[in-house]
């Protein structure tokens, strides 16, 4: 499926409305709950209060407490409960607020949710969605700023989605709810108020394993492929516009899901440019960038004109202090410098 355009809407388009990232995800959830009565949501404060990030605002009044269930801080308990519910005919959505709290339920996730379909030879499906915020920003400190998607993508049985635009926040969440396997949808908290055009077509889904080329080569100057994840997509697109004035042509690839990962689109781009940079706010060691680099090295080595490079946040815990947090975040200057560095070889 072709990616929904990410350029700001300048004229009214039938069936398309500008929304924030949160509004788009909430619209997708609302559409799916209206379509399928087996869908229910659990989490802390997701009932009458509408969630810490307004992810369910207004839905409690529409669907009631049976389908928007506030739960105590018992992550392993309600993930286990929802795994059982998914295996017996329901489609639960677990709203974690912060992905860090998934770690309290890791036994249920890895040994139950991810393995149950395999262990029953496909007789039991687990249509379970787990969504939560992640990443740097807001002085949320180290217990509320983790990423963990490289860990989750390492495990067979999970789909892992990282929507970077409001359109994908809606389309990927809808695909997740309709999927018969457990899906983890991670929403960077720096994107929650980002605005963009979103289709109001309730049947429009964003498929898993299909990357989006957010910016194509202009065809002139020196070319480089940059794979950017989540909130890094917008930052890399801004860098590409700046560097175009220097004759540096940047093609920007947004994987959208990392499990499954669309390596074909990335390798095809590298064959055109001869250069690859991966920009990822998560840590470098054993990360998604290492997997992409190894795969591209195997698939497109003869087309590379320089070593593959990665740009990641420092391998350290996230500080609470806003100035210290800003110091470990990836800056615009770092992105510009990394792109220039790839081209220098």
């Amino acid at each position: 499926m072709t990616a929904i355009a990410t350029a700001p809407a300048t004229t009214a388009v039938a069936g398309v409305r500008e929304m924030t990232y949160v509004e788009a995800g909430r619209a997708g959830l609302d559409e799916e709950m209206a379509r399928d009565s087996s869908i229910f949501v659990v989490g802390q404060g997701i009932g009458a209060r509408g969630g810490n990030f307004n992810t369910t605002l207004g839905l409690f009044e529409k669907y009631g407490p049976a389908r928007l269930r506030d739960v105590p801080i018992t992550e392993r308990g309600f993930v286990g409960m929802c795994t059982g519910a998914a295996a017996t005919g329901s489609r639960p959505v677990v709203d974690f607020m912060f992905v860090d709290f998934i770690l309290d339920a890791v036994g249920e996730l890895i040994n139950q949710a991810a393995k149950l379909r395999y262990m029953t030879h496909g007789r039991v499906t687990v249509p379970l969605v787990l969504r939560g915020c992640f990443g740097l920003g807001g002085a949320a400190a180290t217990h509320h700023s983790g990423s963990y998607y490289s860990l989750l993508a390492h495990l067979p049985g999970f789909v892992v989605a990282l929507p970077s635009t409001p359109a994908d926040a809606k389309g990927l969440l809808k695909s997740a709810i309709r999927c018969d396997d457990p899906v983890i949808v991670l929403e960077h908290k720096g994107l929650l108020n980002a605005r963009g055009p979103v289709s109001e077509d309730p049947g429009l889904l964003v498929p898993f394993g299909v990357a989006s080329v957010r910016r194509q080569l202009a065809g002139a100057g020196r070319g480089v492929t940059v794979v950017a994840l989540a909130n890094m997509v917008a930052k890399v697109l801004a860098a590409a516009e700046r560097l175009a004035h220097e004759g540096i042509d940047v093609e920007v690839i947004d994987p959208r899901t990392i499990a499954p990962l669309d390596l074909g689109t990335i390798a095809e781009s590298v064959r055109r440019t001869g250069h690859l940079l991966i920009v990822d706010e998560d840590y470098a060691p054993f990360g998604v960038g290492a997997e992409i680099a190894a795969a591209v090295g195997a698939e497109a080595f003869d087309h590379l004109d320089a070593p593959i490079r990665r740009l990641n946040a420092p391998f350290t815990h996230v500080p609470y202090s806003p100035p210290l947090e800003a110091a470990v975040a990836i800056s615009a200057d770092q992105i510009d410098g990394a792109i220039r560095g790839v081209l220098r070889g």
Side-chain angles (χ1 to χ4, degrees):
M1 183 179 292
T2 303
I4 299 170
T6 57
T10 55
T11 58
V13 179
V16 175
R17 183 162 63 91
E18 185 173 280
M19 301 182 189
T20 68
Y21 189 99
V22 169
E23 289 169 344
R26 189 169 65 235
L29 178 60
D30 187 8
E31 289 174 0
E32 293 304 297
M33 292 185 75
R35 182 188 61 85
D36 186 347
S37 62
S38 71
I39 298 165
F40 67 91
V41 185
V42 305
Q44 282 108 40
I46 56 87
R49 187 155 60 86
N52 270 17
F53 301 109
N54 294 330
T55 50
T56 57
L57 188 66
L59 300 185
F60 183 82
E61 291 78 10
K62 192 171 184 179
Y63 299 107
R67 298 186 64 193
L68 283 107
R69 298 176 177 232
D70 279 318
V71 291
I73 303 175
T74 54
E75 280 78 7
R76 182 166 189 176
F78 61 72
V79 169
M81 175 191 73
C82 287
T83 299
T88 53
S90 296
R91 290 186 173 271
V93 177
V94 177
D95 190 324
F96 268 102
M97 291 190 294
F98 296 98
V99 71
D100 308 74
F101 304 144
I102 280 181
L103 302 181
D104 291 319
V106 72
E108 294 293 337
L109 290 171
I110 295 174
N111 280 325
Q112 305 300 332
K115 296 178 179 177
L116 194 54
R117 190 170 190 177
Y118 170 78
M119 294 176 68
T120 61
H121 298 276
R123 293 192 296 271
V124 173
T125 59
V126 187
L128 170 66
V129 177
L130 303 111
R131 67 184 299 206
C133 289
F134 75 99
L136 297 173
T142 193
H143 278 178
H144 300 78
S145 303
S147 296
Y148 311 110
Y149 44 77
S150 59
L151 166 66
L152 297 165
H154 177 72
L155 303 167
F158 290 125
V159 173
V160 182
L162 300 172
S164 70
T165 67
D168 283 352
K170 180 183 179 183
L172 285 170
L173 182 60
K174 286 170 67 73
S175 292
I177 292 170
R178 298 190 190 192
C179 182
D180 285 334
D181 289 309
V183 182
I184 299 168
V185 181
L186 301 181
E187 301 158 322
H188 196 285
K189 55 181 187 274
L191 294 172
L192 298 181
N193 293 317
R195 302 189 69 86
V198 179
S199 171
E200 294 184 300
D201 179 358
L204 187 60
L205 309 176
V206 174
F208 300 144
V210 179
S212 175
V213 181
R214 299 293 184 192
R215 186 182 193 275
Q216 295 182 329
L217 290 177
R222 297 172 292 167
V224 57
T225 298
V226 180
V227 176
L229 275 64
N231 67 319
M232 293 293 106
V233 174
K235 294 179 183 294
V236 169
L237 287 171
E241 293 302 314
R242 291 191 297 271
L243 294 172
H245 298 293
E246 301 177 19
I248 297 175
D249 199 1
V250 180
E251 184 154 279
V252 182
I253 310 294
D254 174 6
R256 302 201 287 191
T257 63
I258 57 170
L261 179 64
D262 182 2
L263 290 168
T265 295
I266 297 170
E268 181 183 347
S269 177
V270 171
R271 293 186 187 102
R272 289 193 293 270
T273 66
H275 300 87
L276 176 61
L277 170 69
I278 303 123
V279 182
D280 179 9
E281 187 181 83
D282 195 16
Y283 307 131
F286 312 102
V288 176
E291 174 64 22
I292 293 172
V296 170
E299 294 294 322
F301 179 80
D302 291 340
H303 296 269
L304 287 167
D305 296 326
I308 298 169
R309 292 179 182 253
R310 293 179 287 161
L311 176 61
N312 295 79
F315 188 53
T316 183
H317 299 300
V318 178
Y320 171 68
S321 159
L324 292 178
E325 182 184 40
V328 302
I330 295 175
S331 69
D333 287 344
Q334 286 177 304
I335 295 172
D336 291 0
I339 293 173
R340 294 189 189 101
V342 171
L343 289 168
R344 286 196 297 269

